[in-house]
């Protein structure tokens, strides 16, 4: 089975709902080590995405993802704006004008998005950022594809790896973003960006489970 | 002309900074734009890369642009905006890591004088030094004495000197400093200044920050040394500024 355009639309809608349900938790995490706006920013961004989505729901996957990216860029406000925008835009550019895609297309798209985030944020693994969830998720996904694991299970492994990466940010000291101002005081807190990206990949695994 | 873009999370911070800047850099040719806040009325805290991109497109139409940013996502959003511009446009834009308020004002005054992008950038980058010097002071002790000062007063072979006392209450703070450099820029001449009272070294005046580096307060005695074709006229005009207390 392949991942259809409508699966992509359903995933974006699902993630918007996940953000709606979790925005207070994300803001609370951000209050501990940042500026207490991540949840509110993401919520504003994905509300705008939901409003925009009907204008592109008959388009290809690349167009849909790029539109999500552009909308986030002007609406989110915090660092999450340019970073999430980069993930969606680079992914959309990588997939291009397809109405359906293979899991390997998704892996390539994710890889391009993550590379964009690393370049823009000038961050590395263990800097206590969203990359700490994204890199393990990508590695797990590629490994699962190489092992011939079915799509649903492969995405589940990827989401689990993201979750582990997210938990592993707790003992880290932040080296990038607002949390880096806190230095050692950032230790002991879970990174909000790694948390929201884990939610992103978990919603992928849920919505595309039967692809 | 170098134009200025202020990128901030807060619309109030950006517009307030622009207001401060316009107080000292009054040329109508200088364009200062803000890209700040988020949402329809800019009232929420955040930055918007699309708004930054649009502002850059507008400001690059008739010149180059120096961008000052507050922190965090202001930098990321500006980088993102630059990535979305074509290379030719992006090449006319320079991101400046100077502190937001100090850098903006120094850059504005320098840009107002028609300086190059590099000069405006350098001036903004020095903006923190003046503040640091004023608060932390310097280890130096006064070295000049009255006798040696007298010797310096004569017209030298390569320039003209003027000894003058700062009389306005707040000294050569930002606004008088801006007026001071704008007056210099009008003339085909160069100026260096020594603050005798503070015992500092001779400072070549390149922009507002170098004036502020003199840390000249009310009652301080300065030696102004001018060279160049227009040196006499420049010194006369500067002297008048001091006599008028810089209009304060």
């Amino acid at each position: 089975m392949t991942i259809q355009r409508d699966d992509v639309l359903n995933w974006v809608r699902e993630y918007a709902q996940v953000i709606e349900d979790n925005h207070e938790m994300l803001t609370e995490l951000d209050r501990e080590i940042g500026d207490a706006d991540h949840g509110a920013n993401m919520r504003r961004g994905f509300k705008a995405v939901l409003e925009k989505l009907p204008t592109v729901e008959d388009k290809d996957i690349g167009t849909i993802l790029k539109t999500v990216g552009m909308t986030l860029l002007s609406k989110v406000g915090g660092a999450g704006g340019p970073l999430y925008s980069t993930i969606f835009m680079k992914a959309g550019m990588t997939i291009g004008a397809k109405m359906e895609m293979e899991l390997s297309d998704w892996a390539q798209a994710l890889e391009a998005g993550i590379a964009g985030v690393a370049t823009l944020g000038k961050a590395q693994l263990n800097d206590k950022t969203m990359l700490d969830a994204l890199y393990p998720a990508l590695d797990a996904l590629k490994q699962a594809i190489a092992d011939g694991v079915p799509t649903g299970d492969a995405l589940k492994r990827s989401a689990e790896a993201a979750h582990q990466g997210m938990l592993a940010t707790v003992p880290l000291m932040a080296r990038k973003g607002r949390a880096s101002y806190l230095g050692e005081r950032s230790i002991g807190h879970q990174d909000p960006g790694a948390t929201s990206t884990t939610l992103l990949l978990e919603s992928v695994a849920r919505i595309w489970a039967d692809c | 002309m170098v134009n200025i873009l202020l990128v901030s999370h807060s619309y109030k911070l950006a517009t307030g900074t622009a207001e401060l800047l316009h107080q000292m850099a009054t040329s109508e040719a200088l364009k200062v734009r803000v890209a700040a806040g988020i949402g329809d009325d800019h009232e929420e805290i955040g930055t918007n890369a699309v708004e930054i991109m649009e502002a850059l497109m507008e400001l690059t139409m008739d010149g180059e642009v120096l961008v000052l940013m507050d922190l965090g996502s202001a930098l990321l959003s500006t980088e993102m905006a630059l990535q979305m511009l074509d290379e030719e446009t992006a090449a006319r834009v320079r991101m400046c890591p100077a502190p937001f308020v100090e850098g903006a004002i120094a850059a504005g005054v320098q840009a107002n004088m028609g300086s190059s992008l590099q000069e405006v950038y350098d001036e903004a980058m020095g903006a923190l030094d003046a503040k640091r010097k004023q608060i932390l002071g310097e280890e130096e002790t006064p070295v000049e004495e009255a006798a040696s000062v007298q010797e310096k007063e004569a017209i030298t072979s390569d320039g003209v000197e003027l000894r003058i006392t700062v009389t306005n209450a707040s000294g050569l703070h930002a606004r008088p400093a801006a007026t001071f450099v704008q007056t210099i820029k009008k003339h085909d001449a160069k100026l260096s200044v020594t603050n005798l009272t503070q015992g500092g070294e001779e400072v070549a005046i390149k922009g507002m920050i170098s004036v502020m580096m003199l840390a000249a307060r009310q009652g301080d005695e300065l030696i102004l040394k001018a060279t160049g074709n227009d040196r006499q006229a420049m010194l006369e005009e500067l002297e008048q500024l001091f006599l008028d207390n810089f209009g304060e």
Side-chain angles (χ1 to χ4, degrees):
Chain A
M1 288 274 289
T2 53
I3 299 153
Q4 305 291 317
R5 187 262 318 275
D6 285 351
D7 297 323
V8 173
L9 286 169
N10 286 335
W11 161 52
V12 173
R13 292 192 191 106
E14 165 74 6
Y15 187 57
Q17 186 59 48
V18 167
I19 291 296
E20 183 60 34
D21 296 341
N22 289 282
H23 72 91
E24 284 172 353
M25 179 267 286
L26 291 173
T27 289
E28 211 43 53
L29 288 175
D30 196 25
R31 188 185 311 284
E32 287 163 3
I33 57 170
D35 47 0
D37 64 1
H38 188 52
N41 285 347
M42 292 293 280
R43 186 186 191 202
R44 179 174 51 229
F46 275 90
K47 266 189 176 170
V49 165
L50 283 185
E51 285 167 21
K52 191 86 185 171
L53 222 45
T55 65
V56 291
E57 58 188 9
D58 58 342
K59 301 286 196 304
D60 58 80
I61 296 173
T63 302
I64 290 167
L65 294 181
K66 281 188 278 183
T67 304
V68 172
M70 281 307 288
T71 307
L72 294 176
L73 195 54
S74 61
K75 295 294 178 187
V76 172
L83 294 171
Y84 270 95
S85 172
T86 297
I87 295 180
F88 279 93
M89 287 209 277
K90 296 276 183 194
M93 284 185 251
T94 305
I95 294 164
K98 288 183 182 157
M99 300 303 274
E100 56 179 39
M101 62 178 173
E102 303 295 328
L103 188 59
S104 57
D105 293 326
W106 168 245
Q108 277 180 12
L110 193 60
E111 184 155 28
I114 292 170
V117 166
T119 306
L120 185 64
K122 298 180 181 72
Q124 297 171 343
L125 198 61
N126 295 330
D127 281 351
K128 201 179 182 99
T129 71
M130 59 204 287
L131 288 173
D132 293 326
L134 287 169
Y135 278 133
L138 177 65
D139 289 344
L141 181 63
K142 284 159 83 173
Q143 188 60 49
I145 292 171
D147 294 347
V149 175
T151 298
D153 284 344
L155 291 171
K156 208 171 164 188
R157 287 188 195 180
S158 174
E160 278 166 8
H163 194 86
Q164 291 306 316
M166 170 190 87
L167 295 178
T169 62
V170 174
L172 294 175
M173 183 166 87
R175 293 206 185 85
K176 292 287 166 187
R178 201 67 68 87
S180 64
Y181 286 78
L182 296 178
E184 289 187 357
R185 279 182 292 141
S186 65
I187 293 172
H189 300 280
Q190 184 173 307
D191 182 61
T195 307
S196 58
T197 40
T198 298
L199 294 175
L200 184 78
L201 296 175
E202 285 174 347
S203 57
V204 167
R206 265 198 313 281
I207 298 299
W208 299 351
D210 298 324
C211 288
Chain B
M1 190 82 193
V2 176
N3 296 315
I4 292 174
L5 178 63
L6 303 174
V7 178
S8 169
H9 284 69
S10 157
Y11 187 71
K12 285 179 190 160
L13 175 60
T15 50
T17 305
E19 194 180 346
L20 275 176
L21 194 164
H22 278 304
Q23 217 182 8
M24 289 193 278
T26 50
S27 155
E28 292 196 359
L30 175 69
K31 286 187 190 148
V32 180
R33 270 210 49 173
V34 305
I38 197 147
D40 295 335
D41 48 9
H42 301 270
E43 274 197 8
E44 291 176 77
I45 295 288
T47 58
N48 173 351
V50 177
E51 188 193 8
I52 297 168
M53 182 189 70
E54 288 166 357
L56 289 175
M57 286 167 73
E58 185 193 313
L59 291 175
T60 47
M61 300 255 271
D62 61 347
E64 296 175 297
V65 184
L66 192 79
V67 187
L68 287 131
M69 299 138 285
D70 57 5
L71 36 85
S73 76
L75 281 66
L76 287 187
S77 293
T78 304
E79 285 180 4
M80 196 79 187
L82 282 170
Q83 284 176 21
M84 292 189 288
L85 291 171
D86 63 85
E87 278 183 27
E88 202 183 322
T89 308
R92 300 161 75 99
V93 179
R94 186 140 180 213
M95 292 172 72
C96 179
F100 189 70
V101 178
E102 293 85 348
I105 287 159
V109 170
Q110 198 70 25
N112 201 33
M113 302 189 295
S115 301
S116 70
L117 184 58
Q118 183 65 47
E119 289 172 312
V120 174
Y121 177 91
D122 289 343
E123 186 66 8
M125 289 300 284
L128 196 56
D129 293 342
K131 190 181 198 175
R132 186 180 287 146
K133 182 168 175 179
Q134 188 173 347
I135 293 172
L136 302 178
E138 272 188 326
E139 303 290 293
E140 291 174 20
T141 50
V143 288
E144 304 286 348
E145 289 173 18
S148 62
V149 170
Q150 294 298 330
E151 289 163 17
K152 277 195 170 182
E153 266 184 28
I155 295 170
T156 59
S157 58
D158 60 338
V160 192
E161 290 188 356
L162 170 71
R163 182 174 170 174
I164 202 150
T165 304
V166 180
T167 49
N168 56 315
S170 45
L172 286 185
H173 65 94
R175 196 143 31 126
T179 313
F180 191 81
V181 286
Q182 277 158 9
T183 305
I184 297 169
K185 204 79 179 181
K186 284 196 293 187
H187 297 277
D188 174 23
K190 289 197 160 88
L191 187 81
S192 60
V193 180
T194 310
N195 186 342
L196 297 177
T197 311
Q198 304 290 338
E201 291 172 2
E202 188 170 311
V203 176
I205 303 301
K206 297 194 208 100
M208 185 177 74
I209 299 305
S210 50
V211 177
M212 293 173 73
M213 291 292 281
L214 293 165
R217 298 179 186 174
Q218 187 177 32
D220 283 4
E221 272 192 299
L222 309 179
I223 295 269
L224 279 54
K225 183 176 168 187
T227 54
N229 292 333
D230 240 358
R231 59 196 180 214
Q232 197 65 49
M234 178 179 73
L235 276 187
E236 281 167 16
E237 201 173 333
L238 288 174
E239 183 172 22
Q240 198 56 48
L241 277 182
F242 279 92
L243 295 176
D244 292 345
N245 281 335
F246 289 86
E248 288 181 351

